[in-house]
Amino acid sequence: MEFPTAPEQTPLCIFGTGDLGFSLGRRLLQSGYRVVYGSRRPHSCGPLPPGTQVMSHGAAAQSANLVFICIHRENYGFLETLLPELRGKVLVDVSNNLKKNQYPEANAEYLQRLVPGAHVVKGFNTLSAWALQNGPSDANRQVYLCGNSAEAKQTVAETATKLGFTVLDRGSLSAARELEDFPLQLFPEWRMPLRLAVGLTAFFFFYLLIRDVIYAYVEQQKDISFRIMVSLANKVFPIVSLIMLSLCYLPGVIAALLQLYRGTKYKRFPDWLDRWMLCRKQLGLVALAFASLHVLYTLLIPIRYYVRYKVAASTISQNRTSEFDTAIAWRTDSYYSVGILGFGLYLLLGITSLPSVSNALSWREFSFIQSKLGYVTLLFCTLHTYLYGWNKFLRPSTYKWYTPPGYMLSLIVPTVVLVVKLLLLLPCVDRTLTRIRQGWERTDPEDGCEKSLLA
């Protein structure tokens, strides 16, 4: 008995045999599609994925309903000679430019003007050849589409979904320029955190340089400039780390205060607060990087020449054994222990912020780690800094040239965040805030009077 054979699947066509065209064809083959390449040199176009066919542009276009244009805009001219073959076809423009506003119109709009009888869809341009060849990952799972034909976009969306990507429809073809600018953006979500980190690092570096190195040279005629490389850096890193960690949780506190003040959750936050809250993950990861540098620099302390020299000189000069101070022992052990615990929680926050880890957690688990444990981390790191300072704030020698030490300045923001958060946790405040976040709104007496008069 012979079973009826399934109808042969219509192939997908790819114009362009470069790295992107090769990777796209290979991925399509792995997903069960037939692939035909269109090339100006069908017999000498270089290596292609096994199982594909290669033919002239005209023949390839005639055999497919969906054509991926994997060539540069400068080479679009030949498409005008294929107007009959491309009429009614869906053309997917995957091209990008070298810089923004390189041309007066988007590449996809230019392609639509060249081939008016086709349905042009902009898409797949935010994916690299590596991502196409190895399959979607958490970092590049999304495919943005835009086009004037809903049917054409649906066809491309079905193909992208079968390849394992998530499709986001950006509207008509007029959004093509925005999509083409996406790959040109350099760390858009990291700009504010990185600028803040650079600014804080520069400020505290020069601040501590003046207080420690220049002060010693001017007032005590001592040259301790060698301490810039390790000692000064090891003061700057934890200061910046603590401030940036507290800045991760400060916008949440401000948002809670705004909701309490307004008595509703249905009013938008200011734009600056929205942008701040969207980059909290980046702020935390940069803070973790500075904390890691602080740990590494601290491990270097015992092997430094300056430290070994001071220890040797102290051993030779002392003829008697000093008494053991239990208070100092408690303080130093507590200082190190709290610091280690704080850094351990720091690492936990950083690991759970990775997409591959956060995707395996439920929303409640992720919220518990990033919020509850996040404030515990901030508490431990702040306590670590307080133990470092201990009673130094009582000594006049601490205020060189009447300026407070750097660690005191670093305690301002985290202390404010923790105190306000503690106030928000008071039962009377927390109960009201919870009701607001569940949809309750405080009634304005004036609004009630106006409503009664209108009635």
Side-chain angles (χ1 to χ4, degrees):
M1 180 177 178
E2 294 183 1
F3 293 94
T5 58
E8 189 175 1
Q9 186 184 37
T10 302
L12 302 183
C13 176
I14 299 176
F15 282 3
T17 56
D19 291 339
L20 187 62
F22 180 93
S23 300
L24 178 59
R26 182 174 179 178
R27 186 64 187 168
L28 289 170
L29 282 173
Q30 293 172 349
S31 300
Y33 287 100
R34 290 179 55 218
V35 179
V36 174
Y37 281 92
S39 174
R40 56 187 172 180
R41 296 189 300 270
H43 303 291
S44 59
C45 60
L48 294 174
T52 61
Q53 293 178 287
V54 59
M55 54 187 70
S56 65
H57 288 115
Q62 283 183 331
S63 65
N65 295 323
L66 180 62
V67 182
F68 289 90
I69 310 297
C70 301
I71 57 179
H72 295 286
R73 174 184 175 134
E74 295 81 3
N75 302 321
Y76 281 0
F78 78 94
L79 295 175
E80 290 183 296
T81 64
L82 302 175
L83 295 183
E85 292 85 351
L86 296 177
R87 182 175 300 277
K89 308 289 185 179
V90 178
L91 306 184
V92 184
D93 177 37
V94 303
S95 65
N96 288 311
N97 296 320
L98 297 177
K99 58 183 180 181
K100 292 184 178 181
N101 302 320
Q102 186 173 353
Y103 299 103
E105 59 184 343
N107 296 348
E109 293 176 312
Y110 172 63
L111 178 61
Q112 183 68 83
R113 185 163 55 84
L114 281 180
V115 192
H119 306 291
V120 175
V121 175
K122 186 72 185 184
F124 287 85
N125 65 303
T126 56
L127 301 177
S128 64
W130 183 90
L132 286 169
Q133 186 168 341
N134 293 277
S137 61
D138 294 318
N140 43 36
R141 188 179 292 275
Q142 296 176 333
V143 170
Y144 297 93
L145 300 180
C146 71
N148 296 330
S149 171
E151 293 79 7
K153 287 192 291 184
Q154 181 61 30
T155 301
V156 180
E158 291 174 357
T159 303
T161 302
K162 192 171 181 179
L163 295 182
F165 296 100
T166 301
V167 177
L168 296 178
D169 190 344
R170 306 292 291 194
S172 66
L173 204 59
S174 59
R177 181 178 291 277
E178 179 186 358
L179 298 190
E180 292 171 3
D181 287 342
F182 279 176
L184 300 177
Q185 297 177 356
L186 184 62
F187 302 117
E189 297 177 349
W190 291 83
R191 288 179 182 175
M192 195 271 277
L194 290 176
R195 288 173 180 171
L196 182 63
V198 171
L200 288 173
T201 302
F203 171 78
F204 281 104
F205 175 81
F206 288 108
Y207 183 81
L208 296 176
L209 180 68
I210 294 172
R211 290 193 76 259
D212 295 351
V213 180
I214 297 179
Y215 176 86
Y217 185 79
V218 173
E219 299 292 338
Q220 303 170 353
Q221 287 73 49
K222 291 183 180 179
D223 181 12
I224 57 172
S225 57
F226 63 90
R227 301 185 67 179
I228 294 176
M229 300 305 297
V230 176
S231 299
L232 197 65
N234 203 27
K235 289 183 178 181
V236 172
F237 293 149
I239 289 174
V240 176
S241 176
L242 181 59
I243 293 176
M244 295 198 69
L245 178 63
S246 60
L247 291 178
C248 293
Y249 296 95
L250 181 58
V253 170
I254 296 175
L257 293 176
L258 278 176
Q259 289 177 336
L260 287 171
Y261 174 75
R262 295 170 173 175
T264 179
K265 71 171 186 177
Y266 296 110
K267 290 185 179 180
R268 284 185 56 85
F269 294 131
D271 291 339
W272 58 268
L273 185 57
D274 274 337
R275 293 193 297 269
W276 189 355
M277 296 183 74
L278 288 175
C279 67
R280 287 181 294 178
K281 173 183 175 180
Q282 288 75 17
L283 283 170
L285 291 176
V286 174
L288 175 60
F290 276 90
S292 302
L293 288 174
H294 172 52
V295 171
L296 292 176
Y297 272 67
T298 303
L299 294 176
L300 287 176
I301 290 177
I303 63 175
R304 291 177 61 201
Y305 168 77
Y306 168 73
V307 174
R308 290 186 284 110
Y309 174 82
K310 293 286 289 185
V311 171
S314 175
T315 303
I316 295 174
S317 61
Q318 290 185 358
N319 295 322
R320 62 184 181 86
T321 303
S322 57
E323 295 183 2
F324 183 80
D325 193 328
T326 306
I328 295 179
W330 265 103
R331 181 179 73 86
T332 54
D333 283 4
S334 301
Y335 164 69
Y336 289 122
S337 178
V338 170
I340 293 171
L341 291 175
F343 183 67
L345 292 173
Y346 230 139
L347 290 176
L348 179 62
L349 292 178
I351 292 172
T352 53
S353 68
L354 298 175
S356 57
V357 179
S358 61
N359 289 343
L361 301 174
S362 66
W363 168 247
R364 186 175 182 181
E365 294 168 341
F366 180 79
S367 177
F368 173 79
I369 294 175
Q370 294 295 325
S371 180
K372 303 297 189 298
L373 290 186
Y375 280 105
V376 174
T377 304
L378 181 61
L379 176 63
F380 271 89
C381 294
T382 305
L383 181 59
H384 175 68
T385 308
Y386 273 110
L387 290 172
Y388 169 79
W390 197 245
N391 61 350
K392 293 180 182 178
F393 69 97
L394 299 174
R395 306 173 189 170
S397 59
T398 301
Y399 305 93
K400 301 173 183 177
W401 282 337
Y402 305 102
T403 58
Y407 79 88
M408 284 189 182
L409 298 179
S410 71
L411 286 170
I412 296 175
V413 180
T415 302
V416 170
V417 172
L418 291 173
V419 170
V420 176
K421 181 62 178 178
L422 186 62
L423 294 176
L424 292 174
L425 291 177
L426 294 176
C428 56
V429 180
D430 182 63
R431 191 182 307 114
T432 304
L433 185 60
T434 302
R435 292 180 64 194
I436 290 174
R437 290 175 175 174
Q438 290 176 347
W440 175 82
E441 292 185 275
R442 183 173 61 239
T443 304
D444 193 335
E446 295 182 0
D447 292 343
C449 293
E450 291 179 2
K451 291 177 181 178
S452 62
L453 291 174
L454 290 173

